[in-house]
Amino acid sequence: MLDKIKQLIAEVTSFDTDSAEIAEAFRVRLFGKKGEITSLFEQFKEVLPQDKKAFGQELNVLKTLTINKLKELQEKHKKTFKVDPALDLTLPGDPAPLGSRHPVSLVRNEIVDIFNRLGFTISTGPEIEDDWHVFSALNFPPEHPARDMQDTFFIQSNPDILLRTHTSSVQVRVMEKQKPPIRTISPGRVFRNEAISARSHCIFHQVEGLYIDKNVSFADLKQTLLFFSKEMFGKDTQIRLRPSFFPFTEPSAEMDVSCTLCGGKGCNMCKYTGWLEILGCGMVDPNVLDNVGINSQDYTGFAFGMGIERIALLKFGIKDIRLLFENDVRFLRQFTNAF
Ligand code: DAH
């Protein structure tokens, strides 16, 4: 055994190679599971006690020598590292799966982009609001049904603190802080105490628009909305405005776009009317301007509000609003290249 150790010490001392593979084979030959040094250590257990010292010393010399030699070789091969010829670098890599934006985010970003191009800034406000910003400042009479418990989520039965039912509250906050001219849009989440169905949800998203300046007219409103509709739904899109009522605008209107599916001929989606309702709008009621300290003699303005989910449903032909809240990736993945 001592001879074997001596022979290996000599071999290791003089060993050298330029090949990382040969070095590795050498390591396995000595230190592998059945390697020569490994088995010498096995045999060492059987050595007589009086011989242990002499054998042990030699064996340790061999072990340290080999470890140092292998380290030395490793360093050397690191410096002259060559690509393993067995590796095919032309093979395609493992694909990293790409995520996609949620359709509601896609549509919101698109709306924001379109109005940015017209010089509208973005503003936001709190989801937990007070009665003033959601209703009172917006000219809702005290007994207006929209304030009703059935529509509004109140916080801890305090009738003054509630979850905003529309993003119109943000126009009040902006007008309280900023002097005209004001041109802003406010995307955000809103809450209504409504039963969940294929067409409505108790949490959804809106974008509010507001433009206040001297001499803003209904014609400005109409052209802005026409521009938006063509950008959003295609250049052949037409709009129509129907008289309506909102406490905070006078006059008020609802806007329809020509059906995105049949182009106005009549189909299942537009219930054979050729039109789809998209948003509410109007000229800001002078009472609202006065409520926030803007002189309604000097300034006029328009406002509009639309539901993001509704536009997403129409744009992508989705039949059930609940799909937008379930976050099933098989559904969400279909929007990777939506815009
Ligand atoms: N806030 C209204 C709603 O939630 C939408 C709306 C209508 C906003 C007319 C407006 C507007 O700014 O002028 O149904």
Side-chain angles (χ1 to χ4, degrees), residues 166 168 171 192 206 208 246 248-249 280-282 303-305:
H166 56 184
S168 303
Q171 37 157 305
R192 283 185 201 175
Q206 288 187 330
E208 183 79 11
F246 299 101
F248 37 92
T249 43
C281 60
F304 56 86

Side-chain angles (χ1 to χ4, degrees), residues 192-209:
R192 283 185 201 175
N193 195 359
E194 270 175 31
I196 297 171
S197 71
R199 315 193 94 241
S200 66
H201 212 281
C202 56
I203 302 175
F204 57 101
H205 299 79
Q206 288 187 330
V207 177
E208 183 79 11

Side-chain angles (χ1 to χ4, degrees), residues 101-122:
R101 292 223 183 274
H102 193 281
V104 169
S105 299
L106 289 172
V107 170
R108 185 205 45 217
N109 293 349
E110 183 69 9
I111 297 171
V112 166
D113 266 9
I114 295 170
F115 284 104
N116 273 348
R117 272 178 253 147
L118 292 175
F120 282 73
T121 57
I122 300 178

Side-chain angles (χ1 to χ4, degrees), residues 199 233 258-262 266-277 310 313-319:
R199 315 193 94 241
F233 297 109
S258 48
C259 180
T260 49
L261 195 63
C262 66
C267 69
N268 217 357
M269 180 144 98
C270 59
K271 306 221 181 61
Y272 298 95
T273 62
W275 298 98
L276 299 164
E277 187 191 320
R310 171 143 179 89
L313 296 191
L314 296 174
K315 176 109 192 147
F316 299 130
I318 302 166
K319 295 228 161 60

Side-chain angles (χ1 to χ4, degrees), residues 123-127 129 133-134 138 164-173 185-192 204-209 304-308:
S123 48
T124 53
E127 293 179 347
E129 263 291 7
H133 291 95
V134 176
L138 288 166
R164 64 182 180 194
T165 55
H166 56 184
T167 42
S168 303
S169 54
V170 186
Q171 37 157 305
V172 178
R173 289 195 174 266
I185 52 165
S186 321
R189 198 156 59 145
V190 300
F191 308 83
R192 283 185 201 175
F204 57 101
H205 299 79
Q206 288 187 330
V207 177
E208 183 79 11
F304 56 86
M306 63 187 105
I308 302 181

